[in-house]
Amino acid sequence: MLAKTFGAAVYGVDAKVITIEVNVGQGTKFHMSGLPDSAVKESEHRVESAIKNHGFKMPRIKVVVNLAPADIRKEGSAYDLPIALCILKASGQIVAEKLDQYMIMGELSLDGTLRPIKGVLPIAIEARKNKFKGFVLPKENAKEAAIVNDIDVIGVSNINEAVEFFEGDREIEPLEVDTRDVFMAELNNYDVDFKDVQGQENIKRALEIAAAGGHNVIMIGPPGAGKTMLAKRLSSILPPLSLHEALETTKIHSVAGKMGSDSSLISTRPYRSPHHTISDVALVGGGGNPQPGEISLSHNGVLFLDELPEFKRTVLEVMRQPMEERRVTISRARISLDYPANFMLIASMNPCPCGYYNHPEKECVCAPGVVQRYLSKVSGPLLDRIDLHVEVTPVSFDEMTANRKTESSEEIRDRVIRAREKQAERFENNESIHSNAMMPSHRVKEVCEINEAGKTLLKTAMEKLGLSARAYDRILKVSRTIADLAGSDQIKIEHLAEAIQYRSLDREGWAG
């Protein structure tokens, strides 16, 4: 007898429908076809134990399980539940006439209870797209799937509940989540705030400019000056996620298995801070079973690389293309996957190995040439993609203990949103550009026009400060953002002057 139902395989951030067929006939062997990996093959033992522990019998005749299409590799343990239900139906132990009207996924424990699975959101989206009646899955994942409307999300705790639901012996109310309510409840709900930061007004200003134009930032300063603390707060001043961005971000975290059992929708900008020992694959994504890396997990948010020169050179170099294209392509012999990677990079570093080069009070103990060698660990092409270089100096005792009221993230965010609205208006005819930082070179001359006085200032600055040619476009983009924050249509000389000071590492002899 033949039984059929449907599951899904996740590739990149999208899912494909997989047909699960089970035939029980003459013979004595359990056979599985359809390119299953080890985890799928091992489902035989999990399914047998789960079936027996819930009062059913594993057929002792030939059982053939086919996962179609047969030329696509199936990975993971989420096919356990549909295989178990198909075996029970094919062997005549249950009737379950509606089995082929649902998408079913879930990993079985040996006692028949269901464990949570990865990639629930893209699977639920695919189930709705293919007009399935519902999606049966582990109860712990139900909240995440329920943000997709127009499909019945049925959360079950064990195989017995699933059997009773399909047999009509148990009524399970489909879980419903009001996506907009969930989205609005958590919107801009950050644990950190700029009002906690005393002093460092110049760094706050630089981060406000970065957030307003989507610019990448590097902070150079001694240990304990507040670089990490400030970086953590950058997400809180970025414009709120749109519902579309929130769904896109949630899909990536769902595929990576980073969603908790109580999570349904990510409503705040992600902030990722990988350790400097991270590998290339962990940063950009990939592996035997390709998974999104840290740069994709920080999509629509912030990627913070602390102690930048301590990262392996190869790790930093693989970031260059994703930073330019804002996506990662992982190619394998059978498949090519795209992961989005539109993130803001914020990096921090000490100015030298001892950390006290250019310190106002402490003496640098590094040998001659060591400082330059340390700074050269960060390649020119990578620095070329970083618009703002900010020198961070330690906060004095008086500033730290001052009772002065400082601006909150919300106040700064309001100014950032107004600047972004001007940019949205400016680039409304180009869907691939959302901020000043994303402007291609040919648009810079058109959008960032400066008057004769501005040209003279820029020429003088480039000659006197020894700024490199690559700094020219960056200065114009940053000055355009500063003008947007000031509500000015023209780039004025003061906007240009402020942008020029954010190019510390381009100055010849900065570390000499």
Side-chain angles (χ1 to χ4, degrees), residues 417-486:
I417 291 168
R418 284 198 294 275
R420 286 283 183 119
E421 282 167 356
K422 284 180 80 75
Q423 291 163 53
E425 207 176 295
R426 182 179 299 134
F427 304 120
E428 63 183 349
N429 296 324
N430 195 324
E431 287 182 11
S432 61
I433 306 174
H434 306 294
S435 63
N436 290 335
M438 296 169 83
M439 258 192 291
S441 298
H442 66 271
R443 288 296 303 270
V444 173
K445 284 183 183 174
E446 176 193 324
V447 172
C448 307
E449 282 189 66
I450 50 175
N451 57 24
E452 284 306 315
K455 285 178 184 171
T456 308
L457 173 68
L458 194 48
K459 185 184 176 189
T460 309
M462 290 190 77
E463 289 171 356
K464 291 278 172 69
L465 299 173
L467 295 177
S468 65
R470 71 171 175 250
Y472 178 75
D473 269 9
R474 305 288 168 189
I475 288 171
L476 288 178
K477 285 182 187 180
V478 172
S479 59
R480 178 66 267 171
T481 302
I482 295 167
D484 288 342
L485 277 167

Side-chain angles (χ1 to χ4, degrees), residues 106-125:
E107 179 189 338
L108 285 169
S109 301
L110 296 183
D111 62 357
T113 55
L114 284 165
R115 296 178 185 274
I117 59 171
K118 289 181 183 179
V120 166
L121 183 56
I123 295 171
I125 291 168

Side-chain angles (χ1 to χ4, degrees), residues 47-59 84-85 87-89 91-95 159-164 167:
V47 166
E48 182 175 354
S49 180
I51 284 174
K52 284 180 176 176
N53 281 318
H54 278 269
F56 298 103
K57 292 177 182 175
M58 186 70 178
L85 292 171
I87 287 172
L88 293 176
K89 185 180 177 183
S91 60
Q93 295 179 66
I94 63 173
V95 179
I159 189 172
N160 217 37
E161 283 186 20
V163 167
E164 287 172 1
E167 290 281 74

Side-chain angles (χ1 to χ4, degrees), residues 76 137 182 259 308 315 437 496:
L137 75 168
V182 172
M259 300 290 290
L308 193 67
V315 171
L496 207 51

Side-chain angles (χ1 to χ4, degrees), residues 177-234:
V177 169
D178 190 318
T179 312
R180 291 197 176 274
D181 279 359
V182 172
F183 176 62
M184 295 310 292
E186 294 294 320
L187 197 64
N188 296 326
N189 186 11
Y190 294 96
D191 296 332
V192 290
D193 198 290
F194 267 99
K195 68 182 177 190
D196 306 326
V197 182
Q198 291 292 336
Q200 302 291 24
E201 297 306 322
N202 60 324
I203 318 300
K204 287 185 197 171
R205 170 67 178 167
L207 293 181
E208 182 183 332
I209 294 165
H215 303 287
N216 299 322
V217 191
I218 185 165
M219 296 188 286
I220 314 108
K227 302 186 293 292
T228 306
M229 179 188 66
L230 287 155
K232 275 183 182 170
R233 285 159 173 76
L234 181 59

Side-chain angles (χ1 to χ4, degrees), residues 6 37 112 178 191 216 222 238 267 298 334 343 355 368 409 446 494 499:
F6 297 91
D37 74 346
D178 190 318
D191 296 332
N216 299 322
L238 287 169
S267 304
S298 55
R334 286 179 173 272
F343 61 93
S409 291
E446 176 193 324
E494 61 266 27

